[in-house]
Amino acid sequence: MSTATDEKQIDPVCGMTIRPENAAGSSVRDGERYYFCSKGCMAKFEAGDDAKQSDAVGSGEPMMWTCPMHPEVKQDHPGPCPICGMALEPMTITRDEGPDPELRSMTIRFWISAILTIPLVVIAMGPSTIVDRLDLPFGKGLLELLLATPVVLWGGWPFFERAAISIRTMRLNMFTLIGLGTGAAFLYSLVAVLLPGLFPESLRGPNGMIGLYFESAAVIVTLVLLGQVLELKARRKTGDAVRALLHLAPPTARLVENDGTERDVPLEKVGSGDLLRVRPGERIPVDGRVESGESSVDESMISGEPMPVAKTTGSEVAAGTINGSGSFVMRAEKVGSDTLLARIVRMVSEAQRSRAPIQRIADQVAAWFVPFVVIAAIATFIVWLSIGSVDALGFAIVSAIGVLIIACPWALGLATPISIMVATGRAASSGVLFRNAEAIETMKRISALAVDKTGTLTIGRPALTSVLSHDDLDSSELLRLASSLERASEHPIAEAITRGAEQRGVKFEEVSGFESVTGKGVAGRVDGHEVIAGNLAFLRERKIDPGVYESESEHLRRDGQTVVYVAVDRKVAGLLGISDPIREEAVELIRELKGDGIRVVMVTGDSRTTAEVVSRRLGIDEMFSEVVPERKVEVVEALEKEGHIVAMAGDGINDAPALSRAHIGIAMGTGTDVALEAADVTILRGDLRGVLRARRLSEATVRNIRQNLFFAFVYNALGIPIAAGVLYPVIGILLSPMVAAAAMSFSSVSVIGNALRLRTIDLGGPIEDGGSDDAIE
């Protein structure tokens, strides 16, 4: 909230810090006056679309800014980074981008500078007759001074300001080099025009004129401004993935009142426990459960999989997912910053600001690189000046400025953080959440995977997998009688049988005389028949002979299934097999990981018989069964002692100790209870293919960072000696400072462009942003 007496105000829409006297307008809400940086922000605020409503995170914390290259820098207003001089970015990405004051300022400065620089270059480098025809009352030098001064001193003022800060704080950066280079060229030319008598004849040209470098200083400023504009525009794209997530949350929800009436309310007005109507095609507003009705929901924003998921009474639904053709009423459970979508946004934003270990290379180089460049520029100037020819001073100035400008290490600093920002957003669109940049880098290096069975390699809940019948009673009739009886029981196996019957379209019958014996089975009358369902001991207790079905049951048990005998009218009619089905994608995961030379070990608390069945089907060679959580940690430690980089994949709850101990903990999240805080990587909806996506993205990201670092290193390694003039004695080429400025600016843009290619990498899942699936080679 703001008052007119505050010295500075915060725009409530974009978060920009402004002074009331510079505001584009103001508006009063609830007795408080708010100020805005632009008419657009004011219009959004008055329409009720301010940042507080549009931010899915809804943290309520004040807006903060940080540097993508130095995430430890945080402040409550925009501006340059005190370490590198780069424009700070808001830590919280809102639904609407809003105006970027840095981009707007740089764009205006660029266009005005370009308009003045073009005629300056023509006058300085064109035939002298151009100036002669103008019949000016003053000389050519003064005309260049008039054109160059606003470009250098106004257009380049942000660079000089940041250069001064860097020198004062002894944190030399690229703006130090730009400020020294352009400042030296401008000041030398200024003295040459205003006080030409200070220069001896030996420093004058054949026509008695002193060489001027106004056009070099102006072109450098203009090109650096252009580079800033292009870079700022590209950097805004790194937030597109998070912004797309924010737009998944609808702005309103349809509230069902106690009297049954319905009305639309703003999303922030929805509270836990409210009943909400979700109509066909609408996005689900908050996390909750279906109270009535049924539909299918597109959950690709969470799982990365396009197949809709059926939802009935009691099913969990998540904010941002898309309802299909049905309509249902849901009860809100998690709202605001507690929703899965909000936590995803928060996690992705934090990961984008984290630093990868490989960034240390750039940090170490940058620590000594700028001082080295300054020394190299001074040495270049001295060497050229020592030659003693008429053109020596001009060559010395041109070469020294070229070294300062072309060596700016901005591309080096951008190489890692830009790739990390793009990669984390791309991963989120495929159902993979990385906790930090280190996890992205380490995922590529894993050499062993310890994986839990239940809920990870398997579905995690029992399911009806076999129905055997050899007598007069066919399998469908057998299942009808057994499931009708089991529907009266609350046992998990009974639930699996009932659910399996529903999926097969069985119609249930009424049960009378229901009896349940704990640990053995159930009995009752169904459709006039005496039906018994249970284990072998339950049959023998009732003096019922299992007959040939006893040997049949052994086959099912060896296959890892729990067997339920079904007797009808005191005669065994068939068998039901219940098991925890193996996930379809588990086979693909194990095959690809083993193909990559990764050692796969299954660690489970289940019985040895069941574990052997699962490991045999998946082709897993190593298996530990009947393992308690503490023992899982020991397995991880043993693999690490053998020299492996270990990843542990589990459900993120009972596997938490092992997940924390491994180099990479992978939480297989399911539903809205996904354990976002349990591991380094979270695979939303528990889709095992997410592990492969995470690995592919890790490989592509590390490769992308190395490409960026290589380009930046090679660029500087080649650029400095060329700018210093080593080629001049050989082929007569001396690099112009203007060319150096262009190369420096576009090197940074090329690094960002290379990083943005990660947005289109094929991870084996849907591309949310509409990009292509071309893999990065």
Side-chain angles (χ1 to χ4, degrees), residues 291-313:
E291 285 285 310
S292 62
E294 57 183 40
S295 185
S296 59
V297 176
D298 178 0
E299 297 184 335
S300 59
M301 56 79 64
I302 292 175
S303 65
E305 290 302 308
M307 289 297 295
V309 180
K311 300 293 181 180
T312 57
T313 301

Side-chain angles (χ1 to χ4, degrees), residues 685-703:
R685 292 303 185 200
D687 184 353
L688 278 170
R689 282 166 292 197
V691 177
L692 299 177
R693 293 171 190 159
R695 184 167 166 78
R696 291 171 190 155
L697 183 72
S698 174
E699 292 172 343
T701 303
V702 172
R703 183 166 60 247

Side-chain angles (χ1 to χ4, degrees), residues 128 382 395 559 680 735:
S128 58
I382 294 173
F395 286 161
D559 198 35
D680 304 290
L735 188 66

